[in-house]
Amino acid sequence: MNIILLSGGSGKRLWPLSNDVRSKQFIKLFKNNDEYESMVQRVYRQITTVDAEAKITIATSRSQASAIKNQLGEKASICVEPCRRDTFPAIALAAAYLHDELGVDEREAVVVCPVDPYVDNSYYEAVKTLQELAEKGSANLTLMGIEPTYPSEKYGYIIPESGENVSKVKEFKEKPDMETAKKYLLQNALWNAGIFAFKLGYLLDKAHSMISFEDYRDLFKKYDTLKKISFDYAVVEKESSIQVLRYSGDWKDVGTWNMMAEVMADKSKGKAILDETCQNTNVVNELNIPVLCMGCKDMIIAASGDGILIADKERSGYMKPYVEKIETEAMYAEKSWGTYTVMDVQPGSMTIKISMKAGEKMSYHMHSEREEVWTVVSGKGKAVVDDREKILCTGDVITISAGCKHTVEAITALDMIEVQIGNEISAADKTKFQRK
């Protein structure tokens, strides 16, 4: 299978564990063999269980690429969007990437899926069937619709011509009110979950008809000029040759804490104590201090360096407009080399804990407005400052002045405390270089 996984989102609905850098698909609340795993790790595992030869490309924003590399390593290819431009530009860029960078033939079928449903392996068996249908070429587009388990106002609907397993599509409907949703179900309607397949050449032709570009690299350069438009509006709803595959297995959209609580592996994670009077309450605590819950009923409690949420489960689905009013920098992020956690912020300084995986290294870079002081807490590494190398061991302290090019490589797992000092401390103050 050729699969494009769409991994975007700004992480507002699972605050405070999610943010612009760490979206919901990277939070480790599921389990595999007693080890916690994230949504993106679970999805990758499920796809490769169904098809060990699957070629998976993740279309994502620049801010999330490091987290994907951290959690999947080099297993999946990544197509990075220079900026956010909705699903049609993202899929067009990924299609050009498959063709021009990975050498996928235009006659091959490609399936596009979101990265964040909670499903069992039968879902990806159906995705495999979806690709096979697209390969036959009986329709330009083949969708997979979710058989509804109840009338819902949260999803758009696909109205098929029949209730058969594979049917031509009659029409599409926007999110309805409850009474209209009930009427749709009487017409064998399916939830539109944004899953579709096509031959690669079809999508490239569509992209070229709407965007003037030469190839993947040219499209990447002009990406910020593209119109923001969804794939549904740009392609699906204008296509006359379209069919839908009915999927009737388990499917959950875990876009809110209320839904996440239904599928997370444990009722609580982290330092949490719930007394015997608590009912239907979930706690996720990433802080190094305990949370005590007494008499809590139907609640979600989530705590991280970004903030603390205490909410009724049903009400937690309405938190987005309130979270958008909260302006804080991300206090935790996963990078390709490990993780960083902001420990303290003061005028003129920021203190960060850096944890690097053995064998990984940072980019060779420079800061113009700040100096950094590294203290090695544990492990062994190698620092390079202006091309001069120094072995780092537990207890070593090294100062990098503003304007000095530097990097560090973890020989073993390496923990350091980094103190950034300067009047202007900003993530934008970073210039990368190639080492000679």
Side-chain angles (χ1 to χ4, degrees):
M1 286 191 289
N2 290 304
I3 295 182
I4 296 171
L5 291 176
L6 298 180
S7 176
S10 58
K12 303 294 186 186
R13 297 188 187 277
L14 289 185
W15 184 88
L17 269 62
S18 63
N19 52 45
D20 285 340
V21 176
R22 184 196 190 195
S23 287
K24 63 183 177 182
Q25 55 265 36
F26 306 120
I27 304 170
K28 295 182 179 181
L29 295 177
F30 309 118
K31 273 188 175 177
N32 178 39
N33 296 327
D34 294 326
E35 291 287 328
Y36 278 106
E37 67 177 355
S38 69
M39 199 175 287
V40 72
Q41 290 171 321
R42 175 185 165 89
V43 166
Y44 183 88
R45 175 174 57 81
Q46 288 180 301
I47 293 172
T48 52
T49 297
V50 169
D51 182 359
E53 302 301 316
K55 298 173 185 175
I56 302 170
T57 297
I58 302 178
T60 191
S61 62
R62 192 185 299 274
S63 65
Q64 295 180 9
S66 291
I68 292 169
K69 289 178 182 177
N70 180 292
Q71 296 197 352
L72 295 181
E74 302 301 320
K75 294 177 183 176
S77 60
I78 302 174
C79 178
V80 178
E81 298 173 80
C83 55
R84 286 179 176 152
R85 279 295 180 268
D86 216 328
T87 51
F88 173 67
I91 293 166
L93 186 69
Y97 178 81
L98 261 62
H99 182 263
D100 299 329
E101 301 295 310
L102 302 185
V104 177
D105 192 277
E106 291 187 9
R107 294 167 293 183
E108 290 190 42
V110 176
V111 183
V112 177
C113 302
V115 76
D116 54 6
Y118 186 86
V119 293
D120 57 30
N121 286 0
S122 66
Y123 173 91
Y124 293 104
E125 295 284 0
V127 166
K128 194 171 182 180
T129 301
L130 197 71
Q131 185 190 32
E132 292 166 358
L133 288 168
E135 283 176 347
K136 290 177 181 177
S138 53
N140 286 336
L141 273 179
T142 304
L143 311 188
M144 190 165 87
I146 310 298
E147 191 166 75
T149 51
Y150 59 93
S152 173
E153 301 171 284
K154 294 196 302 181
Y155 309 113
Y157 284 77
I158 303 167
I159 311 295
E161 289 188 356
S162 73
E164 295 177 4
N165 192 43
V166 179
S167 169
K168 289 184 178 180
V169 172
K170 183 179 178 182
E171 59 184 330
F172 296 92
K173 296 292 186 181
E174 298 288 342
K175 297 174 184 178
D177 57 35
M178 188 58 69
E179 289 305 310
T180 306
K182 290 176 182 177
K183 293 176 183 176
Y184 290 164
L185 265 57
L186 297 176
Q187 301 176 56
N188 300 305
L190 302 165
W191 287 334
N192 186 355
I195 310 150
F196 28 81
F198 44 77
K199 287 190 176 178
L200 182 58
Y202 165 82
L203 198 280
L204 289 173
D205 288 344
K206 284 286 183 185
H208 280 294
S209 71
M210 299 173 67
I211 307 166
S212 175
F213 70 100
E214 296 287 330
D215 54 17
Y216 163 74
R217 298 190 182 194
D218 182 43
L219 183 59
F220 185 90
K221 287 177 184 176
K222 59 182 60 171
Y223 196 79
D224 63 345
T225 68
L226 303 186
K227 177 183 177 182
K228 292 183 179 181
I229 186 170
S230 74
F231 189 83
D232 278 348
Y233 284 135
V235 179
V236 178
E237 295 182 11
K238 296 177 182 177
E239 178 57 61
S240 57
S241 175
I242 188 165
Q243 62 186 354
V244 63
L245 170 68
R246 180 176 293 267
Y247 174 69
S248 56
D250 289 339
W251 177 87
K252 285 187 172 69
D253 176 13
V254 290
T256 64
W257 272 118
N258 194 15
M259 294 301 297
M260 180 63 82
E262 292 185 13
V263 298
M264 57 188 283
D266 299 317
K267 186 167 69 172
S268 66
K269 182 184 179 187
K271 293 184 177 182
I273 303 168
L274 288 78
D275 79 352
E276 66 279 4
T277 66
C278 290
Q279 298 176 16
N280 190 30
T281 292
N282 295 73
V283 183
V284 183
N285 182 16
E286 292 190 335
L287 301 177
N288 196 31
I289 53 175
V291 170
L292 171 61
C293 304
M294 304 182 71
C296 298
K297 295 177 175 61
D298 305 318
M299 294 185 72
I300 282 286
I301 296 154
S304 80
D306 285 6
I308 297 173
L309 170 72
I310 303 167
D312 171 79
K313 281 189 174 180
E314 192 63 34
R315 186 63 190 156
S316 68
Y318 301 92
M319 64 188 288
K320 186 177 179 181
Y322 298 94
V323 174
E324 287 175 342
K325 297 176 183 177
I326 299 172
E327 295 183 7
T328 58
E329 294 292 328
M331 304 296 278
Y332 172 88
E334 295 186 41
K335 310 294 286 183
S336 57
W337 42 258
T339 63
Y340 78 79
T341 305
V342 177
M343 301 172 64
D344 182 65
V345 179
Q346 299 287 339
S349 73
M350 180 182 292
T351 304
I352 298 169
K353 180 182 179 183
I354 291 174
S355 295
M356 298 184 67
K357 296 183 286 187
E360 297 293 338
K361 61 182 176 182
M362 296 182 185
S363 63
Y364 195 44
H365 63 278
M366 177 191 77
H367 308 292
S368 299
E369 302 297 329
R370 69 173 186 257
E371 72 174 46
E372 295 176 345
V373 180
W374 295 344
T375 302
V376 180
V377 177
S378 66
K380 185 177 181 180
K382 181 175 72 174
V384 181
V385 181
D386 283 340
D387 292 323
R388 295 190 300 273
E389 298 184 358
K390 174 180 172 58
I391 297 298
L392 298 176
C393 298
T394 301
D396 283 352
V397 179
I398 184 170
T399 300
I400 298 103
S401 300
C404 288
K405 301 173 187 175
H406 60 281
T407 183
V408 62
E409 179 180 347
I411 298 171
T412 67
L414 181 68
D415 285 348
M416 301 192 303
I417 301 299
E418 175 182 289
V419 181
Q420 302 176 359
I421 302 168
N423 293 326
E424 295 291 335
I425 297 175
S426 166
D429 177 23
K430 184 175 184 178
T431 306
K432 294 184 180 180
F433 300 90
Q434 291 290 331
R435 283 204 68 201
K436 297 178 182 178

